[in-house]
């Protein structure tokens, strides 16, 4: 199973009416691509990707490979247990500038996801602590992330869009990519968004 015929840009929009970190992924026409639900109160992250908000059909599962850990990685599988690969956070480097590796089913690195400008996160953290003003950082301090292949080419660009609660992201594909690799990257990015939001 792969996510194919995706019509970019894709919109990732968090629901603010639930306690869980749930969000919709829709395409350029507003059609559902997936509905993402992070299970609450779990020591290890457990994320289910459904076909839409009705949650009638499960498509993928993303689970942390280790208990709470600085260098945790996240396995990506479909409903029949096929391993797509995993997302691995780069530990110490992630404190300053978020950086992740995307590995395939054979555990070979295929892509890197890197935050473009570390200063955005720094100022977001600083200004976010200021009463009242901090509520509006989501309108003007918005990080972007670039997905590069091992060939050095840029394949995707993910942007946090202006919003009060940091609830919208937009993903653009820059160049063509194999369907299976595309699914691996999109699934890795949705997991990364959950991790980055949890870190503030």
């Amino acid at each position: 199973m792969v996510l194919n015929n995706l019509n970019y840009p894709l919109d990732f929009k968090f629901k603010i009416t639930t306690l869980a970190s749930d969000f919709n992924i829709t395409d350029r026409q507003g059609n559902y691509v997936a509905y993402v639900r992070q299970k609450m109160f779990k020591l290890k992250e457990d994320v289910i990707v459904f076909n839409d908000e009705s949650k009638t059909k499960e498509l993928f599962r993303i689970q942390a490979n280790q208990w709470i850990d600085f260098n945790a990685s996240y396995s990506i599988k479909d409903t029949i247990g096929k391993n797509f690969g995993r997302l691995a956070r780069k530990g110490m480097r992630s404190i300053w500038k978020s950086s992740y590796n995307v590995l395939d089913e054979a555990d070979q690195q295929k892509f890197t996801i890197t935050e473009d400008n570390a200063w955005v996160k720094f100022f977001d953290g600083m200004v976010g602590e200021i009463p009242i003003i901090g509520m509006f950082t989501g309108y003007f301090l918005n990080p972007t992330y670039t997905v590069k292949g091992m060939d050095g080419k840029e394949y995707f660009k993910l942007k946090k869009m202006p919003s009060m609660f940091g609830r919208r992201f937009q993903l653009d594909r820059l160049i063509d990519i194999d369907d299976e690799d595309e699914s691996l990257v999109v699934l890795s990015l949705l997991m990364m968004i959950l991790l980055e939001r949890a870190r503030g």
Side-chain angles (χ1 to χ4, degrees):
M1 184 189 299
V2 291
L3 299 168
N4 52 15
N5 301 317
L6 297 177
N7 194 355
Y8 292 88
L10 301 183
D11 253 342
F12 297 58
K13 191 171 183 181
F14 281 84
K15 294 179 67 107
I16 55 172
T17 53
T18 63
L19 288 172
S21 290
D22 292 10
F23 64 94
N24 296 308
I25 304 177
T26 52
D27 68 10
R28 180 194 292 271
Q29 265 80 47
N31 300 313
Y32 261 104
V33 172
Y35 181 77
V36 180
R37 159 146 262 205
Q38 184 174 28
K39 287 196 167 183
M40 296 180 67
F41 312 118
K42 289 273 190 176
L43 283 174
K44 296 203 305 183
E45 272 100 351
D46 189 3
V47 175
I48 306 171
V49 182
F50 296 97
N51 61 322
D52 61 30
E53 205 168 334
S54 68
K55 301 192 285 290
T56 51
K57 185 180 179 186
E58 187 178 321
L59 304 177
F60 300 96
R61 197 82 175 251
I62 305 172
Q63 294 175 303
N65 288 336
Q66 299 172 16
W67 293 83
I68 300 164
D69 178 29
F70 209 55
N71 290 305
S73 67
Y74 305 86
S75 292
I76 301 165
K77 295 179 179 176
D78 68 12
T79 49
I80 58 170
K82 173 179 161 38
N83 178 30
F84 269 76
R86 64 189 178 94
L87 173 72
R89 186 164 53 202
K90 292 184 184 177
M92 290 302 292
R93 277 173 284 188
S94 292
I95 292 176
W96 175 240
K97 189 174 181 177
S98 295
S99 192
Y100 296 81
N101 292 329
V102 179
L103 300 96
D104 66 13
E105 74 282 357
D107 233 24
Q108 298 298 308
Q109 187 176 342
K110 295 290 292 277
F111 303 95
T112 59
I113 306 170
T114 311
E115 188 174 1
D116 293 343
N117 186 347
W119 288 105
V120 173
K121 181 186 286 178
F122 175 77
F123 286 121
D124 191 20
M126 293 272 291
V127 179
E129 297 301 315
I130 302 171
I132 300 174
I133 294 171
M135 290 172 58
F136 299 97
T137 60
Y139 281 108
F140 55 90
L141 290 172
N142 294 302
T144 60
Y145 303 84
T146 300
V147 179
K148 287 186 181 178
M150 302 316 291
D151 54 9
K153 293 178 182 174
E154 296 187 357
Y155 283 85
F156 292 88
K157 187 75 79 173
L158 177 72
K159 297 176 184 174
K160 184 177 166 202
M161 306 303 284
S163 64
M164 182 174 284
F165 298 106
R167 56 191 286 257
R168 276 194 66 222
F169 293 78
Q170 193 171 84
L171 177 64
D172 253 318
R173 188 179 65 193
L174 307 177
I175 53 177
D176 277 345
I177 186 173
D178 171 82
D179 280 350
E180 199 150 312
D181 283 345
E182 182 176 33
S183 293
L184 174 61
V185 170
V186 172
L187 292 164
S188 295
L189 285 169
L190 68 85
M191 185 68 225
M192 185 206 77
I193 287 172
L194 288 168
L195 295 169
E196 290 294 295
R197 279 185 104 242
R199 293 173 67 209

